[in-house]
Amino acid sequence: MQTQKIIDHIVSWLKEYAQKANVKGYVIGVSGGVDSGVVSTLAAMTGLKTLLIEMPIRQKEDQVNRAWEHMNDLKSKFPNVEAISVNLTPAFEELHKTFDVKDDEFPNEKLAFANTRSRLRMLTLYYYGQINGLLVCGTGNKVEDFGIGFYTKYGDGGVDVSPIADLYKTEVYELAKALNLVKNIQEAIPTDGLWDVDRTDEQQIGATYPELEKIQKEWGTKTESDYDGRDLEVYKIFSRMNKAAQHKINPIPVCDIPEEWRNA
């Protein structure tokens, strides 16, 4: 992979897009993970205003510490970078009390609350983006966005631009190394940070990103009969999640009205 060319291309793309949109720059939610670490660094490299927001919701201390280690590192390198923390735990607790239902009657409640955390962060990013004249910059990668749909619709999927959505997770790690991100970010175990208990991406999905990438790269050219062993297991995981995520991956369906009915 021609890492430096990709870095330069994304930085140029972000800068040109912001200038055409007549905005001052970008706002990015920083989680302490490699995706937001890479995206926030690329945004900072544009020289445009870059607002980094850490948004804890019942967050684990190590995630908060990683996020701030990265944000402080960027602030020391780029004068155009600002960083703030917006504690969303109180707001989430109020929503939790308002929405709470009986788990035995609604088994999807915990997942719904996990997605609510992500949507609360989206709302926050758009608020701070609007008052500062900034666009919301997404942090999703190719596997999450277009492979298995491992993101929250209108949560972390609710963004204005998505600069690394054509990069696989392993490629994002390559960029992190080339950009010399702080070691803790480069070595962070992928997690969405949306649960009260520690749940890594691999534990939730049932496969690693390299395993998923192998299937995604061959998607459409091979069928289930072409795989066996662990590859077959991952193929079934990818196929199931990809099918379930079509409502995220494809544009919102519009019910077309026949023109002749309008003029009748």
Side-chain angles (χ1 to χ4, degrees), residues 5 18 30 52 56-57 60 62 79 82 101 118 133 145 152 154 162 200-201 218 223 236 262:
K5 282 190 175 181
V30 176
L52 313 181
I57 303 176
K60 305 301 180 184
D62 63 320
E82 298 177 24
V101 294
S118 184
D145 285 7
T152 298
Y154 305 119
S162 200
T200 66
D201 289 358
E218 298 170 346
T223 64
K236 289 181 177 179
R262 300 178 189 276

Side-chain angles (χ1 to χ4, degrees), residues 136-150:
V136 176
C137 196
T139 62
N141 59 66
K142 191 168 188 172
V143 178
E144 293 170 340
D145 285 7
F146 301 111
I148 59 173
F150 192 64

Side-chain angles (χ1 to χ4, degrees), residues 254-264:
V254 174
C255 179
D256 291 326
I257 306 300
E259 195 61 36
E260 60 268 24
W261 294 358
R262 300 178 189 276
N263 303 319

Side-chain angles (χ1 to χ4, degrees), residues 144-185:
E144 293 170 340
D145 285 7
F146 301 111
I148 59 173
F150 192 64
Y151 65 90
T152 298
K153 196 172 185 179
Y154 305 119
D156 51 329
V159 299
D160 293 315
V161 296
S162 200
I164 63 168
D166 197 34
L167 291 173
Y168 290 105
K169 188 80 168 188
T170 52
E171 294 174 326
V172 176
Y173 275 108
E174 287 188 49
L175 260 62
K177 183 178 180 180
L179 292 167
N180 196 30
L181 267 59
V182 295
K183 189 176 180 181
N184 282 335
I185 294 291

